[in-house]
PDB file of all heavy atoms in Angstrom:
ATOM      1  N   ILE G 133     101.312  83.815 100.907  1.00  0.00           N
ATOM      2  CA  ILE G 133     102.070  83.820  99.628  1.00  0.00           C
ATOM      3  C   ILE G 133     103.354  84.642  99.821  1.00  0.00           C
ATOM      4  O   ILE G 133     104.439  84.202  99.409  1.00  0.00           O
ATOM      5  CB  ILE G 133     101.193  84.396  98.498  1.00  0.00           C
ATOM      6  CG1 ILE G 133     100.116  83.388  98.112  1.00  0.00           C
ATOM      7  CG2 ILE G 133     102.062  84.758  97.300  1.00  0.00           C
ATOM      8  CD1 ILE G 133      99.083  83.959  97.153  1.00  0.00           C
ATOM      9  N   ALA G 134     103.255  85.826 100.415  1.00  0.00           N
ATOM     10  CA  ALA G 134     104.433  86.658 100.596  1.00  0.00           C
ATOM     11  C   ALA G 134     105.463  85.983 101.511  1.00  0.00           C
ATOM     12  O   ALA G 134     106.655  85.998 101.242  1.00  0.00           O
ATOM     13  CB  ALA G 134     104.020  88.014 101.190  1.00  0.00           C
ATOM     14  N   PHE G 135     104.970  85.362 102.587  1.00  0.00           N
ATOM     15  CA  PHE G 135     105.886  84.691 103.523  1.00  0.00           C
ATOM     16  C   PHE G 135     106.636  83.556 102.791  1.00  0.00           C
ATOM     17  O   PHE G 135     107.850  83.439 102.895  1.00  0.00           O
ATOM     18  CB  PHE G 135     105.115  84.129 104.715  1.00  0.00           C
ATOM     19  CG  PHE G 135     105.977  83.349 105.649  1.00  0.00           C
ATOM     20  CD1 PHE G 135     106.797  83.984 106.570  1.00  0.00           C
ATOM     21  CD2 PHE G 135     105.980  81.960 105.597  1.00  0.00           C
ATOM     22  CE1 PHE G 135     107.603  83.253 107.430  1.00  0.00           C
ATOM     23  CE2 PHE G 135     106.788  81.218 106.456  1.00  0.00           C
ATOM     24  CZ  PHE G 135     107.610  81.871 107.366  1.00  0.00           C
ATOM     25  N   ALA G 136     105.893  82.706 102.073  1.00  0.00           N
ATOM     26  CA  ALA G 136     106.515  81.586 101.351  1.00  0.00           C
ATOM     27  C   ALA G 136     107.466  82.080 100.284  1.00  0.00           C
ATOM     28  O   ALA G 136     108.552  81.536 100.109  1.00  0.00           O
ATOM     29  CB  ALA G 136     105.438  80.691 100.763  1.00  0.00           C
ATOM     30  N   TYR G 137     107.066  83.115  99.563  1.00  0.00           N
ATOM     31  CA  TYR G 137     107.915  83.684  98.508  1.00  0.00           C
ATOM     32  C   TYR G 137     109.240  84.155  99.082  1.00  0.00           C
ATOM     33  O   TYR G 137     110.306  83.878  98.545  1.00  0.00           O
ATOM     34  CB  TYR G 137     107.157  84.802  97.808  1.00  0.00           C
ATOM     35  CG  TYR G 137     107.808  85.301  96.525  1.00  0.00           C
ATOM     36  CD1 TYR G 137     107.387  84.820  95.299  1.00  0.00           C
ATOM     37  CD2 TYR G 137     108.809  86.249  96.546  1.00  0.00           C
ATOM     38  CE1 TYR G 137     107.949  85.283  94.118  1.00  0.00           C
ATOM     39  CE2 TYR G 137     109.380  86.721  95.381  1.00  0.00           C
ATOM     40  CZ  TYR G 137     108.963  86.230  94.183  1.00  0.00           C
ATOM     41  OH  TYR G 137     109.523  86.674  93.009  1.00  0.00           O
ATOM     42  N   ASP G 138     109.161  84.900 100.192  1.00  0.00           N
ATOM     43  CA  ASP G 138     110.394  85.389 100.843  1.00  0.00           C
ATOM     44  C   ASP G 138     111.225  84.252 101.395  1.00  0.00           C
ATOM     45  O   ASP G 138     112.431  84.242 101.258  1.00  0.00           O
ATOM     46  CB  ASP G 138     110.045  86.347 101.998  1.00  0.00           C
ATOM     47  CG  ASP G 138     110.063  87.795 101.583  1.00  0.00           C
ATOM     48  OD1 ASP G 138     110.463  88.098 100.437  1.00  0.00           O
ATOM     49  OD2 ASP G 138     109.682  88.649 102.414  1.00  0.00           O
ATOM     50  N   ALA G 139     110.567  83.293 102.044  1.00  0.00           N
ATOM     51  CA  ALA G 139     111.296  82.220 102.705  1.00  0.00           C
ATOM     52  C   ALA G 139     112.023  81.335 101.674  1.00  0.00           C
ATOM     53  O   ALA G 139     113.098  80.816 101.974  1.00  0.00           O
ATOM     54  CB  ALA G 139     110.334  81.352 103.525  1.00  0.00           C
ATOM     55  N   LEU G 140     111.460  81.195 100.509  1.00  0.00           N
ATOM     56  CA  LEU G 140     112.036  80.300  99.500  1.00  0.00           C
ATOM     57  C   LEU G 140     112.864  81.041  98.430  1.00  0.00           C
ATOM     58  O   LEU G 140     113.388  80.420  97.511  1.00  0.00           O
ATOM     59  CB  LEU G 140     110.947  79.482  98.814  1.00  0.00           C
ATOM     60  CG  LEU G 140     110.159  78.566  99.792  1.00  0.00           C
ATOM     61  CD1 LEU G 140     108.986  77.946  99.067  1.00  0.00           C
ATOM     62  CD2 LEU G 140     111.066  77.524 100.390  1.00  0.00           C
ATOM     63  N   ALA G 141     112.964  82.337  98.553  1.00  0.00           N
ATOM     64  CA  ALA G 141     113.717  83.123  97.580  1.00  0.00           C
ATOM     65  C   ALA G 141     115.187  82.769  97.670  1.00  0.00           C
ATOM     66  O   ALA G 141     115.733  82.602  98.771  1.00  0.00           O
ATOM     67  CB  ALA G 141     113.521  84.615  97.845  1.00  0.00           C
ATOM     68  N   ASP G 142     115.837  82.667  96.536  1.00  0.00           N
ATOM     69  CA  ASP G 142     117.271  82.370  96.536  1.00  0.00           C
ATOM     70  C   ASP G 142     118.042  83.592  97.014  1.00  0.00           C
ATOM     71  O   ASP G 142     117.534  84.695  97.027  1.00  0.00           O
ATOM     72  CB  ASP G 142     117.741  81.900  95.160  1.00  0.00           C
ATOM     73  CG  ASP G 142     117.493  82.908  94.062  1.00  0.00           C
ATOM     74  OD1 ASP G 142     116.616  83.774  94.249  1.00  0.00           O
ATOM     75  OD2 ASP G 142     118.156  82.824  93.032  1.00  0.00           O
ATOM     76  N   GLY G 143     119.275  83.414  97.380  1.00  0.00           N
ATOM     77  CA  GLY G 143     120.096  84.482  97.911  1.00  0.00           C
ATOM     78  C   GLY G 143     120.370  85.621  96.961  1.00  0.00           C
ATOM     79  O   GLY G 143     120.699  86.709  97.381  1.00  0.00           O
TER      80      GLY G 143
END
Side-chain angles (χ1 to χ4, degrees):
I133 287 171
F135 176 80
Y137 191 95
D138 266 353
L140 299 173
D142 58 339

